[in-house]
Amino acid sequence: MKFFIDTANLAQIKEAHDLGILDGVTTNPSLMAKEGIKGEEAVMQHYLTICELVDGDVSAEVLSTTVDEIIEEGKKLAAIHPNIVVKVPMIKDGVKALKWFSDNGIKTNCTLVFSAGQAILAAKAGANYVSPFIGRVDDSNWDGVELIKQIAQIYKIQGYKTEILSASIRNPLHIVKCAEAGSDVITSPLEPILGLLKHPLTDIGLAKFLDDAKKMRHELATAK
Ligand code: E4P
């Protein structure tokens, strides 16, 4: 399973990259706004900076909602860097644009997916990635991980090549459950990724090992 970081924050992208486990980055207009990135030129430059930091797919979301405009905007985004993946919303014109991008060799990520039916449409339209938002599904009193399982099963039966990119991750257990459910990729903020490191028995065990080794070094030094 690939690990993408879900942020436009350069320091956090760098921190995840330095861990050596980062395969890509996803952003969305809200994440860009959170970093205060304003205006087309600044947005384009920010995507380029991210692409230069991480050698992997970088999702850049269109703001347009009509097919011709999505295609024009997507072409501009794709021209920024070969690793740009055009992120397209799951709406009727988005599906038409996904098909156009697929026919014209531009990589896509179909976003704002909340049902298996939407995931089937995204795959039929040739999206490279489909992004079910599992945290938001959980928030609406449904089960986000169950949705990933269902999509994974359908894609396997049907032989769809679209990769399942589990998004809207809120905690480390979401990441583990997505791996178990057959997700191809997760995109997560930094905290849940770092949360995977944590176990109290690791800390207790390491403290004991270091303490025992220190005692041995001390015994050796005092025996001389
Ligand atoms: C990523 O592709 C999505 O835009 C993102 O994961 C949404 O996350 P949120 O539900 O925490 O805003």
Side-chain angles (χ1 to χ4, degrees), residues 100 110 118 149 165 170 205:
W100 188 91
C110 180
Q118 291 178 323
K149 278 189 201 159
L165 196 174
R170 302 276 164 79

Side-chain angles (χ1 to χ4, degrees), residues 27-84:
T27 61
N28 64 36
S30 305
L31 293 172
M32 295 295 271
K34 198 170 160 195
E35 298 309 313
I37 317 293
K38 292 187 214 75
E40 194 182 334
E41 206 178 310
V43 167
M44 297 279 194
Q45 180 54 50
H46 200 73
Y47 285 137
L48 183 60
T49 306
I50 294 173
C51 289
E52 285 167 352
L53 262 178
V54 178
D55 185 19
D57 286 346
V58 174
S59 286
E61 188 158 344
V62 295
L63 302 176
S64 310
T65 53
T66 61
V67 60
D68 292 342
E69 286 171 343
I70 295 173
I71 290 170
E72 278 321 299
E73 195 182 344
K75 284 198 282 191
K76 272 194 208 166
L77 290 170
I80 297 172
H81 192 278
N83 289 352
I84 289 284

Side-chain angles (χ1 to χ4, degrees), residues 102-132:
S102 164
D103 291 344
N104 288 275
I106 291 178
K107 283 187 86 173
T108 53
N109 171 359
C110 180
T111 189
L112 289 166
V113 166
F114 294 91
S115 75
Q118 291 178 323
I120 291 171
L121 268 186
K124 286 290 292 174
N128 297 83
Y129 296 104
V130 64
S131 288

